[in-house]
């Protein structure tokens, strides 16, 4: 997951004390779904809990493909892998829809503190960062505790210096710390360059204390000079902070940093969204989307982000097939291209499918953790069905909070489409307490995926897709 | 810490159920020490528990020097740092004793799985490894689950191949898993080369699951061809194991690895053991050693290995000074050079100090964890004093097990000297449950040092040094 607005929204929601209520068919709000459909929803939920396919697929993707940055040869292998898996699982209309894009490619990076004493730094370029000049640069460091402090500085201090933004991120179940911190990564270069800085270096946006830097997308502003942008690991940021404190002493020496980095931008490439379906019956022209993104960053294995999501939604579709009843609406699995650095897949999907009625957008892109919250973004007439869904999901430990219950965000690609087309969305928030430890780092490996929590996700999504497909009312369009 | 015999010995000792008994001066075995000395030992213990210097020194060393491989410019800065700290703390006879050595230097490394699909691998050369030929090598992988399996293989399979040894290490408080696993690192190259392999790659010897490889020393045998040796991170080893399993399927494809690595061996260098003393009174010619090693591997910050040990023993000496009573024997702090890859410091110390009576050797080189076990290696006549020491340390949570209580090992450099010269040793085993997570990796940073556990170590060593210094009987020599 790379997007930020979702988290900015999440940030305003506090912790939830709701406890799920165990529910059975006879107690459910049956006004919304037929008794047969309710019973089948429960059957799918129980079937999903027995799943082992989600983990097997995640393992297969990271083992047989590995990291798969959009437009790379590995990405092409992932597209082939995804189609083969969808065929094998029995999905229909399996196809890869082309997505044209310009991709950014990481090159060599060398960065160190050169003064007061040499310290090698563990760092990663931020996605879209330009290179340094071939000879690199060596400049004094201007330290800021966070992005707000940089924005508040109207002095000449950043001019000619490397701005360091020591933005900290807090740990929370809903990942809200990310939304509060990530603008340092996305917008740090613009803020620093506006003030004359020659480069920006940030503390990694993450909750770990490992010597592994976190990458992620950053943006330039056409009105502002482009400067190199990178993230150092948290222990390196702590080291810089300690040396900065020493530099403030009477005998303190200024910090200097030496930086050389080569990246390539705007490389023409083609990737694909991979789609597969369970055809609907009387409402087959309406689409219930289960999605994840197929690409990953180039570091790590893309196991948590978003191999687990790929495994979950494919296994949820397989659960629906195994349930043996065809849905009224068409359930479509979409594996998006280039979520991480451009949303080209979401853009292309929207253009290709703009005329279709979308009953539900969703995306599993918050790792492998336990789902604990249901939020929707549907028109008011559909809320009774969502309430029924909430009762069906409660035994899984998924609650539906009263606050912002219909202000959900269905995940990065899906949210992009929701905002653009007014298609309704469904969010099952996963436990993100540890999600940002290895997010966008070399530590995004299969070791971070807990096989025990995947079946709960599969059960939740299979149930959700079924309820959306059988709903007597349309969930959209929504006002956006 | 790098040495292995200690751990091989530890491996044979099971868990301990002993609970410490709170003791007061009047209950102590006062036959061994005078009542005044006993009371002062207790006072030092309490003083040590208030320590904050150990952490401050560790922080200073890693911040102002950082990683300090023996013979490097950073190592020279560490020597200057250590002398300055000893002077500042009020130690006497502060000096740096030269240590000549030939050092190994890490160069660039590039390794990947090239078949069945490309996977970049996270790896580190093992210390002393030769380079590959400039063009590198690309060979099929011969997989072995552990070193024993490689040793048992008398077939032609390793010939011309890259041997992969997937040796696992188990987690334990006493670190015994290291002793059981580390021979794969030290001796893997020789075993593989004997069988005609072109390189050896091992699973990192560590207990973590991070995408960070563990380095550490390996050895060649003059009778056997030298081949390149490296370790991949645990997640990479798991990937290789999964692909190996797939290669055994009917349609399985063999694994191939591509490797290019440049290192430099036998570089002439000079480093220094750094010494400082608290002069004794009537037995001033006898030495009570508190030691740690000043060097570190080139990866990480050398915070846990052995910055924490440096901080602990310097703070213990400062505690003795603050106690205000001069010891009978001289307490000498020794910070050894190049423990990690050669023991040149221990060797040079022995040659320079062979004629001195050593009452006690010791070394704090197992990280920053809580000490929990007292073991000695002293002559029988000294055992009552050790028992008194045990009673003094019991309130700190340090037990003295009955089994192998006098078969202790005082730490790598100290154990080397003990074995060579028959000088007695004292061991305070620290909790090593997490020690091997970041051991010899980029994750050996200040973040892994818990400030709360250092004062217990300081208290224990100050008390121990005092008891050794005041002992009415000599602790050595011992039969070795």
């Amino acid at each position: 997951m790379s997007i930020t607005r979702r988290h900015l929204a999440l940030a305003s929601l506090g912790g939830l004390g709701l406890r799920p209520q165990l529910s059975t068919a006879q107690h459910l709000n049956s006004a919304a779904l037929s008794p047969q459909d309710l019973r089948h929803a429960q059957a799918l939920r129980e079937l999903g809990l027995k799943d082992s396919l989600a983990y097997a697929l995640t393992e297969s993707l990271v083992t047989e493909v590995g990291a798969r940055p959009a437009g790379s040869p590995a990405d092409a292998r992932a597209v082939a892998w995804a189609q083969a898996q969808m065929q094998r699982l029995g999905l229909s209309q399996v196809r890869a829809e082309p997505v044209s894009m310009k991709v950014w490619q990481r090159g060599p990076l060398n960065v160190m503190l050169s003064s007061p004493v040499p310290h090698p730094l563990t760092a990663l370029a931020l996605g879209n960062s330009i290179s340094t000049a071939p000879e690199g640069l060596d400049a004094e460091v201007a330290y800021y505790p966070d992005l707000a402090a940089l924005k508040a500085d109207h002095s000449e201090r950043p001019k000619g210096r490397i701005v360091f933004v020591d933005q900290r991120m807090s740990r929370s179940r809903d990942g809200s710390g990310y939304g509060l911190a990530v603008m340092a990564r996305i917008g740090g270069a613009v803020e620093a360059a506006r003030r004359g800085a020659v480069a920006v270096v940030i503390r990694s946006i993450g909750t770990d204390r490992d010597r592994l830097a976190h990458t992620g997308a950053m943006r330039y502003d056409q009105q502002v000079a482009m400067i190199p942008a990178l993230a150092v690991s948290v222990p390196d940021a702590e080291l810089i902070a300690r040396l900065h404190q020493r530099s403030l002493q009477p005998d303190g020496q200024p910090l200097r940093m030496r930086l050389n980095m080569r990246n390539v931008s705007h490389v023409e490439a083609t990737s694909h969204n991979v789609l597969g379906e369970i055809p609907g019956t009387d409402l087959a022209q309406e689409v219930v989307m289960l999605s994840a993104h197929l690409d990953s960053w180039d570091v790590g294995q893309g196991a948590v982000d978003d191999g687990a999501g790929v495994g979950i939604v494919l296994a949820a579709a397989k659960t629906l097939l195994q349930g043996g009843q065809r849905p009224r609406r068409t359930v479509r699995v979409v594996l998006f291209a280039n979520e991480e650095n451009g949303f080209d897949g979401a853009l292309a999907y929207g253009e290709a499918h703009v005329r279709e009625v979308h009953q539900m957008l969703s995306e599993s892109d918050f790792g492998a953790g336990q789902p604990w919250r249901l939020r929707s973004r549907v028109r008011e007439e559909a809320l009774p069905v969502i309430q029924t869904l909430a009762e069906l999901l409660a035994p899984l430990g998924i609650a539906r909070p009263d606050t912002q219950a219909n202000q959900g965000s269905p995940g990065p690609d899906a949210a992009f489409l929701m905002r653009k087309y007014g298609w309704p969305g469904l969010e099952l928030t996963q436990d993100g307490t540890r999600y940002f430890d290895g997010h966008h780092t070399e530590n995004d490996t299969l070791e971070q995926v807990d096989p025990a929590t995947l079946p709960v996700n599969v059960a939740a999504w299979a149930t959700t897709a079924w309820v959306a497909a059988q709903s007597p009312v349309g969930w959209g369009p929504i006002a956006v």
Side-chain angles (χ1 to χ4, degrees), chain A residues 186-210:
Chain A
I186 296 173
V190 169
E191 294 299 335
R194 272 200 185 115
R195 291 160 176 81
V198 294
V200 67
V201 179
I202 65 162
R203 181 192 183 97
S204 279
I205 304 299
T207 46
D208 60 294
R209 311 214 298 176
D210 290 312

Side-chain angles (χ1 to χ4, degrees), chain A residues 8 29 46 114 152 156 159 173 186 241 246 255 261 263 357 388 432 451:
Chain A
L8 290 165
N29 168 10
E46 301 313 310
S114 53
E156 293 278 295
K159 198 168 178 179
R173 184 166 66 153
I186 296 173
R246 281 163 167 80
L255 271 66
M261 176 166 75
N263 304 307
V357 174
T388 299

Side-chain angles (χ1 to χ4, degrees), chain A residues 21-336:
Chain A
Q21 300 288 322
L22 202 72
S23 58
T24 59
Q26 47 270 46
H27 299 118
L28 290 174
N29 168 10
S30 57
L33 281 195
S34 74
Q36 298 92 316
D37 283 343
L38 273 178
R39 273 197 300 275
H40 191 61
Q42 291 172 311
L44 289 170
R45 186 183 68 200
E46 301 313 310
L47 196 56
L49 284 174
K50 299 193 183 93
D51 176 73
S52 61
L53 179 64
Y55 187 79
L57 288 167
T58 307
E59 190 267 359
S60 170
L61 179 57
V62 304
T63 305
E64 291 156 27
V65 179
R68 47 202 178 277
S72 69
D75 184 39
R77 284 195 295 275
V79 168
W81 175 92
Q83 292 179 89
Q85 296 300 333
M86 286 184 177
Q87 297 281 9
R88 188 174 68 84
L89 298 178
L91 296 182
S92 303
Q93 304 289 329
V94 174
R95 72 263 197 201
E97 297 182 344
V99 180
S100 294
M101 55 182 74
K102 290 181 177 174
V103 298
W104 174 88
Q105 294 170 342
R106 187 184 309 282
L109 165 62
N110 206 302
V111 56
M112 63 181 297
L113 285 175
S114 53
S115 176
V117 290
H119 278 284
L121 296 174
T122 297
L124 284 174
L126 297 180
N128 304 319
S129 173
I130 63 166
S131 303
T132 58
E135 68 275 17
L137 58 90
D138 185 333
E140 206 171 295
V141 174
Y143 176 93
Y144 295 88
D146 53 29
L147 185 66
L150 173 60
K151 284 181 168 178
D153 187 5
H154 303 292
S155 78
E156 293 278 295
R157 192 160 70 102
K159 198 168 178 179
R161 292 201 167 89
I162 295 173
V163 159
F164 179 71
V165 185
D166 200 14
Q167 184 84 45
R168 282 163 168 75
M169 177 185 163
S170 62
R171 185 185 294 281
S172 64
R173 184 166 66 153
D174 66 1
S176 53
Y178 188 64
L180 297 170
V182 75
M183 279 310 294
R185 187 188 81 206
I186 296 173
V190 169
E191 294 299 335
R194 272 200 185 115
R195 291 160 176 81
V198 294
V200 67
V201 179
I202 65 162
R203 181 192 183 97
S204 279
I205 304 299
T207 46
D208 60 294
R209 311 214 298 176
D210 290 312
R211 196 93 185 269
L212 292 169
H214 295 240
T215 191
M218 54 79 59
R219 292 193 208 115
Y220 292 115
D221 179 330
Q222 287 187 328
Q223 311 299 316
V224 180
M226 297 197 290
I227 58 173
L230 58 147
V232 297
S233 81
V234 168
D236 291 276
E238 292 283 323
L239 174 75
I240 291 168
R242 296 195 302 271
L243 287 167
H244 168 68
Q245 281 305 315
R246 281 163 167 80
S247 75
L248 303 177
Q249 304 295 318
D251 60 345
Q253 284 181 277
L255 271 66
R256 294 187 69 85
M257 210 178 271
R258 193 173 297 157
L259 168 63
N260 199 311
M261 176 166 75
R262 318 299 306 157
N263 304 307
V264 185
S265 298
H266 306 298
V267 180
E268 297 274 358
T270 300
S271 184
H272 297 81
N273 293 326
V274 182
L275 286 71
E277 297 176 356
I278 302 171
T281 53
D282 62 315
L283 298 173
Q285 299 314 307
E286 300 186 17
V287 175
V288 172
M289 180 193 288
L290 293 175
S291 89
H293 66 85
L294 190 55
D295 68 306
S296 76
W297 279 101
D298 51 344
V299 296
Q301 297 171 346
V304 173
D305 186 9
D306 186 26
V310 169
I312 287 166
V313 297
L314 287 173
K318 181 65 179 178
T319 301
L320 286 163
L321 287 172
Q322 284 175 324
Q325 293 198 21
R326 273 182 74 177
R328 295 183 66 196
R329 295 180 179 83
T330 294
V331 175
R332 176 181 293 164
V333 176
V334 183
L335 303 180
F336 285 104

Side-chain angles (χ1 to χ4, degrees), chain A residues 368-450:
Chain A
Q370 194 88 8
W372 59 277
R373 182 174 65 181
L374 163 65
R375 299 203 303 182
S376 56
R377 189 79 188 272
V378 299
R379 66 191 184 108
E380 203 157 325
E381 292 83 343
L383 285 173
V385 186
I386 303 295
Q387 185 51 38
T388 299
L389 174 60
E391 292 169 30
L392 283 162
L393 297 181
L396 299 177
I398 299 172
R400 180 158 170 80
D402 291 331
T403 56
Q404 300 186 301
N406 202 32
Q407 296 293 318
S409 173
D413 297 289
F416 173 92
L417 294 167
M418 180 180 80
R419 286 191 296 271
K420 185 159 181 185
Y421 298 105
W423 293 335
L426 201 292
E427 171 189 352
L428 295 180
T429 321
Q430 289 170 280
D431 186 335
T433 306
R434 294 181 53 87
Y435 181 75
F436 291 102
D437 285 355
H439 181 244
H440 295 183
T441 78
E442 287 288 0
N443 249 354
D444 183 351
T445 67
L446 190 63
E447 282 63 36
Q448 309 308 317
V449 176
D450 181 356

